[in-house]
Amino acid sequence: MSDTSESTDDAGEAPDGGDDAATAVDAEEVRHVADLARVRLDDDEVAAFADQFGDILDYFEALDEVPETEREEELVNVMRPDEVEGGLSQEEALSNAEETEDGFFVGPKVS
Amino acid sequence: MAVDHNAFITEETIEGDADAEGPLAGTTVAVKDNISTEGIRTTCGSEMLADYVPPYSATVVDRLTEAGATVVGKTNMDEFGMGTTTETSAFGPTRNPVDPERVPGGSSGGSAAAVAAGEADVALGSDTGGSVRCPAAFCGVVGIKPTYGLVSRYGLVAYANSLEQIGPIAGTVEEAAAALDAIAGPDPNDGTTRDLSEVEGADPDASYAAAADGDVDGLTIGVPTELFDGADERVVETVEDAIAELEARGAETTEISLPSVEHAVQAYYVIAMAEASSNLARFDGVRYGNRAESDGNWNESFAETREEGFGAEVKRRVLLGTYALSAGYHDKYYKKAQDARAWVRRDFEDAFADVDVIASPTMPVLPFELGESLDDPLRMYLADANTTPVNLANLPAISVPAGEADGLPVGLQLVGPKFDEETVIRAASAVEDAS
C-alpha cells in the first residue's frame, strides 16, 4: 500500500530457503511493513501483530506444497468507444473531501 | 422491534418504483453498507467512512428499486468485509436473531440478521470468501454467491476485486432467486460483467425464480470428502440428512475428491490480503474519508489517518498483503497462491465433468459465541475452508438451511458450474421443500 514511491521496496530479509523452522516475525519487521504501507501502529499493536503474523505466515507455508499449475486465464480485454458521458459534477466530486480550495482537493504538505 | 440485533448501521429509506410489477414490487430490501447509496452514508463498517455520503448509487441498488423494492436501511458488516463474524465493525457487533449470544456470521452479518429477524424481505450482501453464505448459514436463511461476472460491482466499495460478487439473502430460495433475477446482467460501468448471450453454455433467458421448482429427479450430486473432514460432527450429520432427502427425491450422489481445496484458505487469504493492501491505499483522508489532525508531511498524515480510521483486522490484512507482495516474498506467497487458485479451478472443472452440483456444509462449525474467535484471527480464517474455494474458482453457490443442530442453524452449500445458477437454485429449493 505505497502511495508515493519505492513500491518495490523489500519487506526485510528475503527468505533464506531450506529452513523449515517456524516463521518468526519480529517487531522490527512489522514496523517496516507498516512503514511501507503508511499505516502507523502503537507499540501494543506491533507486539500483537508480530505474534499473529508468525502463526499466519506459518500456516501460509503450506503453499510450498502446491504444484506449479498452468493458468489458463479466460481473460479478454473489454473495450468500448471513448464517448463523452455524464459524470459527477465538480461539487459532487469534492463533497466528501475534508478540505477543498478553489475547486481542488487540499492534501497534507509534501515535506 | 422487540430486540435490537444491531443489524443496521443506518436506517433510511429509498422508495421503490410504485408502478413496478413483478415479484419484488412492494418488498423491502436491506443493503450491506459497502454498497453505495446516493445521499445515504455508506460506512463499510469503518470509522474511516463514518461520514462518507456517496454521490451515486450502485447499479444493484438502482435495479432493485426499479423492480419495486424499497431500501429500508444499510446493514452492519465486518469492517470493509474483513471478518467471519460481523464483530470487526466499528459500529459494534450484530447479534444472531436465532441466539443473541452468538454471532450472525460475516461479513454480511447485518444483512442476514435483518432477514432472519423479519426486518427486511430480502437483503444484499457481498461475498469475497463466503461473506454471503456464512451469515446465511449461521442465521438460518438462504444466500446466493453468483458466478463472477453475473452481477455488477459498480458502486461496491472494493476489498478484493478478483474474488467478490454481490449476492442476495432471503428467507426462501425463490425470494433470493427473484432478487438475483433483478440484479443480474451486464453493466457498462463494470467491465467484468458478462453478457450471457456471449457466454458458451449459459442461458441468457434464465429465470432464476422459476428454477426454484424442487425438481432434482436425475440430478447428480458430488460429495467431496475434503469438505466434510474436520467439520463439526453435528454439522456433518445434519448436512448428510439433507443430502439423503435429495436422494429420496430422485437425485444420485457420488463421492468425489477435490485435493486442491486443502490449500484454498491459504491461497484465498494471500490473494485477498494482497488485493486489499492495494485497494485500501485509496483511503488517505484527502478525497473522502476521515483525516487525522496531523502536523506531519503527507506520508505521516496518511499513516496517522489510517491508524485512526482502520480497525485491527483491516490493518492486519493490509500489512500482511503488503508483506506478501514485497520483494523477496512475492514468489513465495502471491505466485504460489495464484498456482493454487488455478489448481482449485481445474479441480472443480474436472468434477463437473461427472456431477451437476457439489454439496457440502457451508460452514464447518456452528455459529460462534460472541467474542469467541476475535483474538485468534487464524482460527477465524480456518472457518472459511468450505466457502473460499468457490470464490477462487469464480463459481456460483448457494447456502440453504439444512436443519438444526443443538437448536442452531446448519447450512448446506451447493456449488455449480460457471453461470449455471439455475441448477444450484433448483437443488436448493428441493432441500427447502424437504425440511
Side-chain angles (χ1 to χ4, degrees):
Chain A
M1 192 157 103
S2 173
D3 299 283
T4 50
S5 59
E6 304 161 275
S7 59
T8 55
D9 212 341
D10 194 328
E13 297 286 308
D16 51 12
D19 184 2
D20 288 334
T23 317
V25 177
D26 62 26
E28 200 176 328
E29 278 179 284
V30 172
R31 283 204 181 86
H32 183 66
V33 177
D35 191 43
L36 290 179
R38 313 290 191 263
V39 177
R40 181 163 294 185
L41 301 177
D42 65 33
D43 290 346
D44 289 347
E45 276 180 310
V46 170
F49 283 179
D51 281 349
Q52 292 166 348
F53 287 7
D55 289 347
I56 294 165
L57 291 171
D58 250 355
Y59 176 65
F60 289 171
E61 284 293 313
L63 285 170
D64 277 348
E65 300 157 13
V66 172
E68 208 168 297
T69 308
E70 201 183 321
R71 300 178 209 152
E72 299 154 26
E73 301 289 352
E74 303 160 30
L75 304 177
V76 286
N77 277 329
V78 179
M79 310 294 275
R80 61 168 172 78
D82 187 14
E83 287 164 359
V84 177
E85 291 175 15
L88 297 181
S89 67
Q90 192 174 23
E91 193 187 334
E92 287 170 327
L94 294 171
S95 63
N96 279 286
E98 186 88 11
E99 196 182 349
T100 64
E101 191 179 312
D102 299 334
F104 293 97
F105 297 109
V106 177
K109 62 189 178 192
V110 174
S111 58
Chain B
M1 269 168 270
V3 187
D4 182 10
H5 304 104
N6 199 24
F8 290 95
I9 292 174
T10 305
E11 290 189 74
E12 279 195 53
T13 303
I14 307 175
E15 291 293 337
D17 181 349
D19 299 327
E21 288 173 22
L24 293 183
T27 62
T28 54
V29 58
V31 176
K32 188 177 184 180
D33 211 20
N34 60 350
I35 298 173
S36 300
T37 40
E38 183 180 346
I40 297 178
R41 73 169 179 160
T42 297
T43 69
C44 293
S46 181
E47 195 58 43
M48 183 68 85
L49 292 177
D51 306 309
Y52 172 69
V53 179
Y56 65 97
S57 282
T59 300
V60 290
V61 170
D62 287 340
R63 287 187 178 168
L64 284 177
T65 52
E66 281 160 20
T70 291
V71 175
V72 293
K74 304 298 296 292
T75 57
N76 203 358
M77 56 182 283
D78 282 299
E79 187 177 4
F80 287 103
M82 299 180 187
T84 305
T85 63
T86 313
E87 292 171 294
T88 73
S89 170
F91 299 86
T94 296
R95 291 171 179 271
N96 191 326
V98 179
D99 178 350
E101 296 310 310
R102 292 183 187 263
V103 303
S107 65
S108 315
S111 289
V115 170
E119 293 168 21
D121 299 321
V122 186
L124 291 182
S126 63
D127 191 313
T128 310
S131 285
V132 162
R133 290 161 287 156
C134 161
F138 278 6
C139 292
V141 294
V142 177
I144 300 176
K145 182 264 169 201
T147 306
Y148 189 82
L150 184 70
V151 176
S152 169
R153 289 179 294 114
Y154 180 69
L156 172 68
V157 180
Y159 152 29
N161 316 51
S162 81
L163 297 159
E164 58 207 4
Q165 276 287 289
I166 292 170
I169 295 171
T172 66
V173 173
E174 191 175 348
E175 288 171 283
L180 183 60
D181 278 320
I183 62 176
D187 176 9
N189 286 326
D190 177 359
T192 61
T193 52
R194 302 291 297 275
D195 183 345
L196 292 192
S197 63
E198 291 164 13
V199 176
E200 200 187 321
D203 176 8
D205 303 317
S207 165
Y208 302 122
D213 59 12
D215 179 10
V216 290
D217 195 20
L219 192 79
T220 312
I221 302 170
V223 181
T225 47
E226 291 87 354
L227 300 184
F228 286 76
D229 290 349
D232 186 302
E233 274 176 34
R234 296 166 293 178
V235 170
V236 171
E237 244 175 64
T238 311
V239 166
E240 284 177 343
D241 287 349
I243 294 172
E245 281 292 336
L246 292 176
E247 282 182 306
R249 289 164 167 259
E252 276 176 45
T253 59
T254 176
E255 208 169 277
I256 61 168
S257 179
L258 300 168
S260 64
V261 301
E262 308 279 4
H263 295 287
V265 172
Q266 301 132 29
Y268 166 77
Y269 274 97
V270 169
I271 293 169
M273 288 168 171
E275 293 187 23
S277 74
S278 172
N279 267 321
L280 272 63
R282 77 190 64 202
F283 298 108
D284 54 22
V286 176
R287 291 153 298 162
Y288 36 67
N290 290 331
R291 184 196 291 189
E293 298 221 3
S294 172
D295 298 327
N297 65 29
W298 62 350
N299 283 323
E300 289 155 351
S301 169
F302 294 173
E304 287 165 40
T305 289
R306 291 168 186 150
E307 177 183 31
E308 285 182 19
F310 289 154
E313 184 59 28
V314 172
K315 290 176 187 165
R316 197 150 39 230
R317 294 195 192 190
V318 165
L319 298 194
L320 282 166
T322 304
Y323 183 87
L325 287 177
S326 60
Y329 292 96
H330 175 277
D331 285 4
K332 181 179 168 62
Y333 295 112
Y334 189 71
K335 189 161 168 283
K336 293 306 277 184
Q338 293 294 355
D339 277 334
R341 183 171 191 174
W343 185 21
V344 169
R345 189 184 307 171
R346 188 194 296 169
D347 254 1
F348 275 107
E349 274 169 19
D350 290 349
F352 285 124
D354 303 316
V355 303
D356 299 312
V357 291
I358 293 172
S360 74
T362 306
M363 298 300 290
V365 292
L366 292 168
F368 299 118
E369 288 177 24
L370 284 164
E372 194 182 330
S373 66
L374 205 51
D375 295 327
D376 188 352
L378 185 56
R379 184 174 169 217
M380 192 168 74
Y381 301 168
L382 291 171
D384 301 337
N386 290 5
T387 49
T388 50
V390 174
N391 301 77
L392 291 170
N394 301 335
L395 298 173
I398 193 166
S399 179
V400 60
E404 287 187 349
D406 293 352
L408 296 168
V410 173
L412 168 73
Q413 174 176 256
L414 293 157
V415 185
K418 228 175 250 190
F419 293 111
D420 194 3
E421 271 73 6
E422 287 167 291
T423 301
V424 296
I425 287 166
R426 182 166 287 120
S429 65
V431 176
E432 186 174 61
D433 290 351
S435 58

